[in-house]
Amino acid sequence: TSKVLVIVHLGGCGKNSGDTWLYTKMLKNNADWQTIDNFMVYTGSTAPQFVGTSTGCWLDAPATTSALTYKPQFKNNQASGTVYINAGGTSSIILMEIASS
């Protein structure tokens, strides 16, 4: 009955070229779980754009005693251009088990 507090901080988020944007999400046990940001650093042009950070926080109630894996994932949402995480910044993830009383 415990819950898991998941806090993710992605630093150095941006795009360098292309008319594109950055999509970030969280996976739980390698399956899509939560969207962090689905339209980050969009400029409507090939202009570079860096926003610094993106953060998400969720309280998960997994209802299992099995091990869980949480991890962030990002992708370029278009066929052209380059997107970044950790470009001049750092990222972290904090997992905290919260026992039910």
Side-chain angles (χ1 to χ4, degrees):
T1 61
S2 295
K3 295 181 175 27
V4 178
L5 180 63
V6 180
I7 304 168
V8 64
H9 172 84
L10 302 175
C13 301
K15 75 172 184 101
N16 196 27
S17 61
D19 185 10
T20 189
W21 58 92
L22 177 63
Y23 174 78
T24 56
K25 64 183 176 182
M26 285 296 293
L27 304 179
K28 181 169 84 171
N29 289 342
N30 291 317
D32 288 358
W33 180 56
Q34 299 285 340
T35 297
I36 302 170
D37 199 327
N38 63 356
F39 203 66
M40 191 184 334
V41 301
Y42 180 70
T43 60
S45 72
T46 59
Q49 176 75 13
F50 288 86
V51 295
T53 64
S54 180
T55 302
C57 182
W58 305 273
L59 187 60
D60 188 21
T64 183
T65 57
S66 298
L68 296 169
T69 302
Y70 298 90
K71 65 181 175 181
Q73 189 176 66
F74 73 100
K75 72 174 184 174
N76 180 343
N77 236 17
Q78 296 294 315
S80 66
T82 304
V83 294
Y84 298 96
I85 297 288
N86 291 337
T90 58
S91 298
S92 63
I93 184 170
I94 298 170
L95 304 172
M96 183 184 308
E97 184 177 6
I98 301 174
S100 298
S101 55

